[in-house]
């Protein structure tokens, strides 16, 4: 059984507010998408990569992004859909019959690690469904639309959820099928599994595994990259 990574990269990056979609923006001279894919290229437990991109960008991604960086595991560049969930589903529909474990990772989280990916894949094989995340650092309050604080949440139970998320193939396939059937929209893949009553394991990721969402995230990412290059000497 093979392990296939699906990398949704078909968004338009509205919150980033740039002309170019954020997955193509440079981080230390290398596009964010390439940074994210490289970690999966380096992970021995990953057999193949499916990259999901805006339909009009397929040739650009193949010729301008993937070819120069010598990606060996990319098995497909697939047209994405309207929302992230549609793009991941397009990846699932393109899976080979021999894919046993599926790991999903946002193209715009360039700081994931081989260790974290490996841990996710192993846990998915043992338990069926896994996400990475980190405990909250700040206090969280629920606030009414008029700005009135309604309550303070119990932070000890709250985790910020990241990717990668990994699943046994049958579990994620069923979860996406059920979401289409029920018209359910989630902001991650694990939530589609949770709603079927299937247990999802949370494993502790890394505070540095940030998602590049708004302009200040790219400033932080450049600083983190510079610090890690310095540490490596
Ligand atoms: N994504 C996707 N298909 C979509 C929307 C998002 O594959 N229709 C991908 C993005 O490219 C990104 C990941 O899902 O790698 C996480 O989504 P997000 O951070 O929300 O990216 P965007 O949707 O591009 O940004 P925004 O929501 O600000 O427009
Ligand atoms: Mg989005």
């Amino acid at each position: 059984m093979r392990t296939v990574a699906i990398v949704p990269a078909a968004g338009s990056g509205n919150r980033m507010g740039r002309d170019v979609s954020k997955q193509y923006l440079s981080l230390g001279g290398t596009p964010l998408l390439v940074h994210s894919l490289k970690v999966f290229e380096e992970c021995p437990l990953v057999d193949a990569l499916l990259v999901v991109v805006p339909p009009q960008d397929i040739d650009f991604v193949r010729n301008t992004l993937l070819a120069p960086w010598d990606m060996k595991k990319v098995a497909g560049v697939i047209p994405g859909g309207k929302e992230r969930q549609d793009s991941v589903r397009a990846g699932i529909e393109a899976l080979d019959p021999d894919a046993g474990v599926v790991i999903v990772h946002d193209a715009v989280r360039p700081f994931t690690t081989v260790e974290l990916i490996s841990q996710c894949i192993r846990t998915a094989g043992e338990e069926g469904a896994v996400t990475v995340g980190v405990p909250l650092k700040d206090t969280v309050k629920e606030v009414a639309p008029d700005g009135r604080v309604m309550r303070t949440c119990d932070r000890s139970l709250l985790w910020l959820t990241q990717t990668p998320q990994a699943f046994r193939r049958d579990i994620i396939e069923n979860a996406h099928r059920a979401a289409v059937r029920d018209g359910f929209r989630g902001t991650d893949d694990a939530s589609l599994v949770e709603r079927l009553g299937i247990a999802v394991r949370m494993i502790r990721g890394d505070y540095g595994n940030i998602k590049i969402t708004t302009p200040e995230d790219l400033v932080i990412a450049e600083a983190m990259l510079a610090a890690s290059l310095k540490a490596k000497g």
Side-chain angles (χ1 to χ4, degrees), residues 8-16 22-23 52 81-84 87 106-108 211-213:
S12 47
N14 292 327
R15 286 170 288 177
M16 189 59 104
K22 62 186 179 178
Q23 60 272 31
V52 190
K82 193 163 163 284
E83 291 179 32
R84 182 186 182 282
S87 297
D106 293 327
V108 293
K211 182 161 76 71
I212 309 299
T213 307

Side-chain angles (χ1 to χ4, degrees), residues 8 10-11 52 80-89 184-187:
V52 190
K82 193 163 163 284
E83 291 179 32
R84 182 186 182 282
Q85 188 172 317
D86 305 312
S87 297
V88 174
R89 192 175 64 248
F184 178 82
R185 291 274 166 192
T187 53

Side-chain angles (χ1 to χ4, degrees), residues 59-161:
D59 289 340
F60 162 73
V61 168
R62 266 193 220 282
N63 302 332
T64 312
L65 292 191
L66 301 182
W69 267 276
D70 191 29
M71 298 287 174
K72 293 192 170 62
K73 294 183 184 172
V74 175
V77 181
I78 292 158
K82 193 163 163 284
E83 291 179 32
R84 182 186 182 282
Q85 188 172 317
D86 305 312
S87 297
V88 174
R89 192 175 64 248
I92 291 170
E93 284 165 2
L95 287 171
D96 271 351
D98 64 351
V101 169
V102 177
I103 180 162
V104 182
H105 184 67
D106 293 327
V108 293
R109 286 188 194 271
F111 296 115
T112 189
T113 63
V114 169
E115 294 71 34
L116 203 51
I117 293 168
S118 306
Q119 202 186 343
C120 271
I121 292 169
R122 277 195 292 267
T123 307
E126 289 157 10
E127 301 189 35
V130 57
T131 180
V132 300
V134 285
L136 286 190
K137 295 193 225 181
D138 294 348
T139 297
V140 179
K141 295 186 191 297
E142 213 173 281
V143 181
D146 67 0
R148 187 176 46 92
V149 172
M150 293 159 69
R151 67 183 188 101
T152 300
C153 307
D154 178 2
R155 188 178 67 189
S156 68
L157 295 176
L158 296 175
W159 290 60
L160 290 173
T161 305

